Each structure stands twice: as structure tokens, then as C-alpha cells.
Amino acid sequence: MPPMKTFRNGDIWLKGFEASGIPMVPAPVGMNSVEFNGRPACLYDGWCHVGCPIGALANPQITYLGDARKAGAEVRALCTVTRVLTNPAGTRVTGVEYYDEKQQKQIQQASVVLLAAWSAQNPRLLLNSATDKHGQGLGNSSGLVGRFMMSHHVASTWAMFDEDVQNHMGTIAVQYMSYQNYPKTSHSGAFGSSFITAGFALKTTDLANSRTDLFGPELADYMKRAARNLAGIKTFGEEQPNMENRVELMSAKDEFGMPLGKFVHTYDQDAVALWNANLEEGLKVAKAAGAKEAWSARGAMPTSHLMGGTIMGTSAANSVVDSYGQSHEIQNLWVAGPSIFPSAGASNPTFTIFALSQRGAERMASQWGTLTN
């Protein structure tokens, strides 16, 4: 497909990036720029994050679910898995324990179990599935289940311009992007890759959140100006893998009696230095772009895109799964999604998640006879 359309809230940054030596290009997104497979082209109303109203945004409900159901797949909504079950010898998984939409406990037998939940939920399930044969949780002889949790940090720069930048137009994510600073030593004194984005559609909440220091009449006056003149850029930064960043089980339990997960996380000096460098660069770009005023979104260092927790590797000694998502210890137990990432990079992880998931699915299909016997 051709690139997506761009709008003034993205174009207005290009002069500033050019002056800073940062080439920008239209960003690839999982959306139709033209009609495809009976799905219409994007209408650029910016409501992607709450569900595309016309189906231009590619997500599994649009691209895979129909085909899966035609092939015999069943979706059980409002159900919550609490444990993965194993045979007495602990050599195979046999199914899952879950609570249905009426909150009644059920058992679903299975030849193969694939965990494709959120990065914090996959390790929580494995840890809660401990048995006498797997005392630390399933697939956890290395003690690495729940370890190496990673998040991107986001350096946001806001700017007010004299002209109407049409900030309600576009998509929720990005119009332009650059990998100019993806090499890990791009910033002096700060280690890690950065992914630069510009031009994202704003909603009322974005206007308010761009100035969290304002309240009452001052906030209302600011939002009236911001509705026409505000635009932003975001630079996503890499966090290095750290074994101590982890998810662990708590003594407190949820409504199904499953231990809650506790997320332990601290950014290291590399991440903090990179975040600050990206914020400083953002202000320079805004000034060069001709912004009337510009500021950094400081405060608590933000997190975005949780990854890790069931990392891939070469053996059970250094990881939880292999590069296809198959457990090193139990061959018919698989994991998919960003929890198998062993490192984060700086790019949004969605495309990599899809690529790894398709790669893992093809591998599983090719081994199906072995896995189910």
C-alpha cells in the first residue's frame, strides 16, 4: 500500500527535524491507506485506540478471527484462566483451569496449551501453576519466569504554534518516524536506541494531560488554545534487560483465588540518561520548527509497551522458551507475545509480535503430530 496521508500536525515538525539532521519518513502502521480485502481505507479521525469504527485498522478481530471461526475455533468471552494443568509426571500439560462468564470453575482439556496473554499475565499463570514436579512454576527450572521485564520509556515534547495544526486529524500513533538515533550510542553519555515519532491525533484528554500543572479556569483557557495550536512528538527509548525487573506472586488474591502479581521495576542509569537526552533533543527540534512555546513532559518517567517475563533463548538454563515460543521443559506448552522478547529495542513492538506469533504458529503446525502424541 502507499503511505498514509499526513496532516499539518505532523508536517509542521519537518523543518525542525531537518535542521537537527534527523530525516523523517511516513511511518508504517497496521491500517489501510487504500481499500484492501473488502475493508475500507482509513478516514483519519484519530479514534484508533477505542476501536476503528470502519475496520480500516488491522487487528485480529478483523484479520484472523473470522477465518479462525470458519476453521472451527471457538472463542469463550469473559473467561479467566487461573492455572495450566499437567500430568502426574509433570512431563506434559493436559489443559487449563478457568472460570467462565458465570464465574464457575471449569476444566478444559487440551493436547497443546498456548499462553498468549499480556506480558505480566503469562508469567503469573506459569508461577501459579506450580506442582510437586515443578516447584517454582511451569517452565521455570532456570528461575527466570517473571524476570527481565522491560518497558519503553517515552520522551514527549509538546509545542504550541501560531497556526491551526489540525491536531484532531490523523491516527492515534504516528505520521512520521525516524531511526536516525536507533544506534545505541547515538547520544553521548546515554546508551540505548531511540525511535522518533511525530504527528499523532489528539483528543480532549490529550489536551488536558499535556499540561498537568494547570487547573480550573487556567486549564480551560489553555485547552481552548491547545485545541487548534498544540502538536507533539514522542521518542521511545530502549530499556536494557535487567533480571531484577520482575513479576512475582503476592499473598493477596483476586476474585478467583489466584495470587495477584506484583510488578517490581526500576529504570537504570542508561535509561534515565537516554530519556533526558531525548527530551533535550525534542526541545531543540521544537525551537527549530518555529514553535511559539515548547516544553517537555517531565515528572515520573513513563512506561510503555511491557515486554519480557518469559524470555526466549537457547536452553532452559538461560531462558523460558525457544525462539518459536516453545517451552524448553514441556514440549506441548507454548508462549506467544511480547513476553518472549529477550530485549526491547526502541521500536513499537506490535510488528515484531505479529512476526514472532506467525513464525511460532507455523512451527507448531509443522510439529503437530509430535506435540499431540
Side-chain angles (χ1 to χ4, degrees):
M1 296 184 189
M4 301 283 281
K5 294 179 182 178
T6 59
F7 298 90
R8 191 58 184 154
N9 59 333
D11 296 340
I12 202 166
W13 293 102
L14 296 182
K15 181 175 69 173
F17 281 112
E18 183 179 3
S20 302
I22 300 174
M24 302 293 286
V25 297
V29 293
M31 304 169 189
N32 286 355
S33 61
V34 294
E35 184 179 347
F36 177 75
N37 260 7
R39 294 166 39 228
C42 177
L43 48 74
Y44 302 100
D45 69 342
W47 284 99
C48 327
H49 60 311
V50 295
C52 177
I54 61 172
L57 171 66
N59 64 56
Q61 287 182 307
I62 298 295
T63 58
Y64 288 112
L65 182 58
D67 289 342
R69 280 178 160 157
K70 288 177 183 176
E74 178 187 350
V75 177
R76 297 179 190 170
L78 304 177
C79 296
T80 301
V81 173
T82 50
R83 291 178 63 88
V84 179
L85 306 176
T86 56
N87 62 5
T91 56
R92 293 181 59 82
V93 294
T94 58
V96 295
E97 169 193 280
Y98 74 96
Y99 286 79
D100 63 21
E101 71 279 5
K102 298 179 181 179
Q103 297 193 354
Q104 299 296 309
K105 186 165 73 171
Q106 306 288 350
I107 301 295
Q108 174 60 58
Q109 296 181 340
S111 299
V112 177
V113 171
L114 167 63
L115 300 181
W118 184 48
S119 287
Q121 185 73 347
N122 283 339
R124 182 183 175 214
L125 283 166
L126 292 174
L127 293 171
N128 192 52
S129 300
T131 67
D132 58 343
K133 296 293 191 295
H134 299 275
Q136 299 185 89
L138 297 187
N140 196 28
S141 62
S142 62
L144 294 179
V145 169
R147 298 282 181 168
F148 294 107
M149 300 298 300
M150 297 164 287
S151 173
H152 290 144
H153 46 88
V154 188
S156 297
T157 302
W158 295 104
M160 296 282 273
F161 294 89
D162 284 329
E163 64 177 278
D164 183 350
V165 295
Q166 297 181 304
N167 57 26
H168 63 290
M169 296 295 293
T171 67
I172 195 62
V174 55
Q175 292 178 38
Y176 290 101
M177 56 154 276
S178 178
Y179 282 121
Q180 180 71 15
N181 292 343
Y182 214 77
K184 298 182 190 295
T185 55
S186 296
H187 290 297
S188 177
F191 184 80
S193 59
S194 297
F195 173 57
I196 306 167
T197 68
F200 41 90
L202 302 180
K203 297 292 174 283
T204 308
T205 51
D206 299 307
L207 305 181
N209 290 337
S210 66
R211 284 294 302 270
T212 56
D213 58 318
L214 298 180
F215 297 88
E218 286 186 314
L219 177 60
D221 290 342
Y222 163 76
M223 289 177 66
K224 288 177 183 177
R225 292 187 294 120
R228 292 190 178 276
N229 305 126
L230 181 69
I233 58 177
K234 293 183 180 181
T235 301
F236 294 84
E238 175 185 18
E239 177 184 16
Q240 303 304 311
N242 181 343
M243 183 173 176
E244 293 307 309
N245 286 339
R246 64 193 185 275
V247 167
E248 56 188 32
L249 298 184
M250 299 176 64
S251 57
K253 297 182 179 181
D254 66 14
E255 59 188 312
F256 306 111
M258 182 180 180
L260 297 174
K262 178 182 178 181
F263 187 28
V264 180
H265 179 269
T266 303
Y267 282 124
D268 62 17
Q269 292 181 343
D270 284 323
V272 174
L274 184 61
W275 183 60
N276 283 318
N278 286 333
L279 287 172
E280 292 170 7
E281 184 174 68
L283 291 177
K284 293 178 182 177
V285 170
K287 182 179 179 180
K292 184 177 180 181
E293 53 184 297
W295 62 97
S296 300
R298 288 195 174 271
M301 193 168 163
T303 59
S304 179
H305 305 141
L306 191 63
M307 297 157 281
T310 59
I311 64 168
M312 68 167 75
T314 56
S315 73
N318 59 27
S319 56
V320 179
V321 298
D322 66 12
S323 66
Y324 297 95
Q326 184 176 19
S327 167
H328 292 299
E329 299 176 35
I330 305 176
Q331 71 166 0
N332 66 333
L333 173 63
W334 294 62
V335 183
S339 67
I340 72 174
F341 285 20
S343 59
S347 259
N348 290 18
T350 305
F351 296 146
T352 308
I353 293 169
F354 270 98
L356 285 175
S357 297
Q358 185 150 358
R359 182 174 183 268
E362 290 170 354
R363 175 76 165 188
M364 179 189 290
S366 71
Q367 296 187 348
W368 192 254
T370 302
L371 292 174
T372 55
N373 291 320

